[in-house]
Amino acid sequence: MIKERVLSGVQASGKLHIGNFVGALRNWVKLQDKYDCYYFVADWHALTTGYADPSTIKEFTKDILINFLATGLDPNKCTMFIQSRVLEHAELDLLLSMITPLGWLERVPTYKEKQQELKDRDLSTYGFLGYPLLQTADIIIYRAKYVPVGIDQVPHLEISREIARRFNYLYKEIFPEPEALLTEFPKVVGTDGRKMSKSYDNAIYLSDKPEEVEEKILTMVTDPARIKKTDVGNPELSPVYQLHKIFSSREELARVAVGCRTAGIGCIECKKILIKNVFKVMEPIWAKRNDIVNSPDVLHEIIEKGTKKAKKVAEETMRLVREAMGLY
Ligand code: SF4
């Protein structure tokens, strides 16, 4: 039976944290059993906002690939590759740029939002505006049927669908319009209670050592009402409890909630339970990370093989595209 194709990528603009694991990678691992999955590191995308200092892209690319494998992506079940190694993405991006109205790109909500967010960078570049177009090329070059996204990202996929539709209408029916594979992404808070993000400096990274994870959790923000151990608190106001919801068993979650509300448990004890449960999830990942770091040739081989396979599909699509657009 031919499996339907799924495509997803991670931008090489930082190390992966437990929020990425819980929100994306864990789901990718499940999908590889059911679909023909293509997962890639988007290193060109990292340049759209980080062009002024590309010194970390290579290091982040490697770290992401290590985490792909460490969290359970299996090269025998899915295809893993690096975006910039498949030059056809850039060719398709160029050709699609000929048919994409500027207004479509300017309308993408993240265009203005990100410019506001990253005020210290000059994002009035063509590359930044064209980000959704490159993203579209990444997806449709594999003629992927699905892209795993959370409900809030569905509008972002709409531009890819529009561009694919426009191409099909102008030239030839080559691209399926990519559909959202709706996924529930649990909201993962960082150590300060805001969304976990590398830009907030509040993340627990998959590459952190056990002692770093312990330290980060022990110094996490709690419900401010719990100044002394005898003060009662509201676990819902505590980021520690939000992480318990993801990593702890139902019984422990209930115990912590009651303990917090009745001052029956201290914050340190509560955090130690969380540390134990986070370790339980992280230990196999750390072990695999170690194995991979110690055998770089294996990683290299897997990515070479994945890139070769991705390139073959991309080349085949580009042959059809060139033909449809009347190019030699
Ligand atoms: S007991 Fe736990 S949930 Fe309650 S405030 Fe302290 S750390 Fe947060």
Side-chain angles (χ1 to χ4, degrees):
M1 194 185 81
I2 296 176
K3 289 179 175 172
E4 289 166 318
R5 192 166 289 155
V6 163
L7 181 119
S8 202
V10 178
Q11 189 172 304
S13 55
K15 294 187 289 183
L16 294 187
H17 51 67
I18 58 171
N20 303 123
F21 169 60
V22 173
L25 291 179
R26 209 157 56 169
N27 180 45
W28 289 12
V29 173
K30 282 189 213 146
L31 295 176
Q32 67 180 349
D33 288 321
K34 193 168 169 206
Y35 296 100
D36 177 22
C37 295
Y38 281 63
Y39 299 131
F40 69 102
V41 181
D43 52 350
W44 279 337
H45 280 292
L47 289 167
T48 58
T49 51
Y51 63 87
D53 177 17
S55 61
T56 49
I57 292 180
K58 237 191 226 169
E59 179 206 326
F60 290 150
T61 300
K62 191 173 170 197
D63 186 71
I64 293 167
L65 291 170
I66 291 171
N67 284 321
F68 276 6
L69 296 172
T71 52
L73 291 183
D74 179 346
N76 295 314
K77 294 181 179 173
C78 68
T79 307
M80 290 171 266
F81 64 99
I82 301 170
Q83 181 190 33
S84 66
R85 295 285 314 281
V86 186
L87 296 176
E88 286 76 7
H89 288 226
E91 184 185 359
L92 183 58
D93 178 48
L94 171 87
L95 294 178
L96 294 177
S97 77
M98 308 298 172
I99 65 165
T100 304
L102 269 182
W104 290 9
L105 296 170
E106 285 161 347
R107 263 202 327 262
V108 174
T110 39
Y111 178 57
K112 294 251 154 59
E113 278 166 30
K114 263 231 159 119
Q115 273 184 329
Q116 285 298 320
E117 202 181 298
L118 302 171
K119 270 198 181 131
D120 55 324
R121 300 185 200 178
D122 178 6
L123 296 183
S124 51
T125 57
Y126 168 71
F128 182 65
L129 177 69
Y131 181 107
L133 188 57
L134 180 56
Q135 203 168 42
T136 300
D138 297 335
I139 300 168
I140 68 175
I141 203 162
Y142 298 99
R143 287 169 278 165
K145 181 161 171 67
Y146 294 117
V147 180
V149 288
I151 187 88
D152 53 329
Q153 291 162 311
V154 173
H156 296 159
L157 197 57
E158 197 44 43
I159 187 169
S160 299
R161 294 170 57 80
E162 274 178 311
I163 294 167
R165 207 176 302 144
R166 187 161 165 94
F167 181 96
N168 290 344
Y169 170 77
L170 285 171
Y171 308 109
K172 197 178 175 190
E173 194 83 23
I174 291 179
F175 299 114
E177 288 177 32
E179 293 171 34
L181 192 61
L182 274 186
T183 318
E184 250 192 72
F185 292 112
K187 187 175 162 246
V188 182
V189 295
T191 49
D192 58 359
R194 291 184 290 174
K195 185 179 172 223
M196 189 173 285
S197 161
K198 57 186 179 299
S199 10
Y200 295 148
D201 195 22
N202 64 0
I204 297 172
Y205 294 102
L206 296 177
S207 55
D208 280 347
K209 294 193 173 63
E211 53 276 20
E212 288 172 297
V213 174
E214 188 170 359
E215 172 70 16
K216 283 183 180 178
I217 295 178
L218 282 175
T219 51
M220 265 183 92
V221 169
T222 60
D223 174 4
R226 296 213 66 191
I227 299 165
K228 298 193 296 299
K229 199 180 165 188
T230 47
D231 294 329
V232 294
N234 178 354
E236 291 299 341
L237 300 179
S238 169
V240 177
Y241 186 68
Q242 301 309 320
L243 289 189
H244 268 297
K245 283 184 185 171
I246 295 168
F247 291 98
S248 299
S249 67
R250 212 178 278 190
E251 293 72 30
E252 274 175 321
L253 191 64
R255 194 183 133 214
V256 164
V258 171
C260 183
R261 288 200 173 92
T262 58
I265 189 175
C267 288
I268 297 288
E269 190 187 343
C270 175
K271 287 174 173 179
K272 284 196 169 153
I273 298 171
L274 177 63
I275 291 167
K276 175 193 75 174
N277 294 332
V278 170
F279 273 31
K280 222 185 276 171
V281 175
M282 296 287 287
E283 267 158 6
I285 297 176
W286 287 328
K288 273 203 211 163
R289 276 189 60 94
N290 257 343
D291 291 348
I292 301 159
V293 170
N294 290 330
S295 33
D297 290 354
V298 176
L299 177 69
H300 181 76
E301 217 172 277
I302 290 171
I303 301 311
E304 280 307 305
K305 217 170 132 200
T307 303
K308 223 167 156 187
K309 190 172 162 208
K311 205 169 162 55
K312 206 166 159 224
V313 178
E315 273 171 358
E316 170 62 15
T317 304
M318 286 317 297
R319 201 182 52 74
L320 298 172
V321 168
R322 286 182 214 119
E323 204 176 280
M325 292 182 82
L327 298 166
Y328 184 68

